[in-house]
Amino acid sequence: RRKEWSTPWELYFWDGISFRDDGTTPLLEASVESNFTDPRLFQESETRLNTNMTAIMNYSRTFGAHTVGGMLGVTREDFDMEFFSAFRRNFLSPALDR
């Protein structure tokens, strides 16, 4: 199972010379740096079932000057899988699905 909740994120930059009105706090400018601008959710679930069975039988018998032999082999493999995937974007708030 996998659930990925993503919200856009910003980096703040300072030009090195601009300050807020108090004269000491740098004036920072925000820039969205994620490759998307809206909250989004990706969710998937996967179930697997593997069954393997292998059997080998050898037979050998000697009758006087004659030998009879044989080998029998059987194999069986089952694979059962279910997969579900969903994606949604444009949530009303970035705090909805935490």
Side-chain angles (χ1 to χ4, degrees):
R1 294 193 158 117
R2 178 179 159 207
K3 185 175 187 178
E4 184 179 311
W5 172 248
S6 303
T7 55
W9 53 277
E10 298 176 334
L11 281 181
Y12 291 86
F13 299 94
W14 181 44
D15 63 8
I17 55 174
S18 301
F19 291 90
R20 291 187 177 256
D21 292 337
D22 63 9
T24 59
T25 306
L27 182 61
L28 302 176
E29 188 173 324
S31 174
V32 175
E33 293 296 317
S34 53
N35 59 358
F36 55 93
T37 58
D38 58 323
R40 49 187 58 193
L41 174 67
F42 175 75
Q43 194 164 350
E44 67 182 5
S45 177
E46 181 178 317
T47 303
R48 292 183 187 192
L49 172 64
N50 294 331
T51 305
N52 296 315
M53 181 180 78
T54 303
I56 297 175
M57 183 173 65
N58 288 317
Y59 175 81
S60 178
R61 179 133 187 211
T62 302
F63 299 97
H66 302 282
T67 301
V68 176
M71 181 173 80
L72 177 66
V74 176
T75 185
R76 175 184 172 186
E77 182 173 319
D78 292 331
F79 179 82
D80 184 15
M81 180 179 170
E82 292 180 27
F83 180 79
F84 171 79
S85 177
F87 175 78
R88 176 162 182 226
R89 55 185 289 195
N90 298 318
F91 284 87
L92 296 176
S93 166
L96 280 176
D97 196 62
R98 281 281 174 183

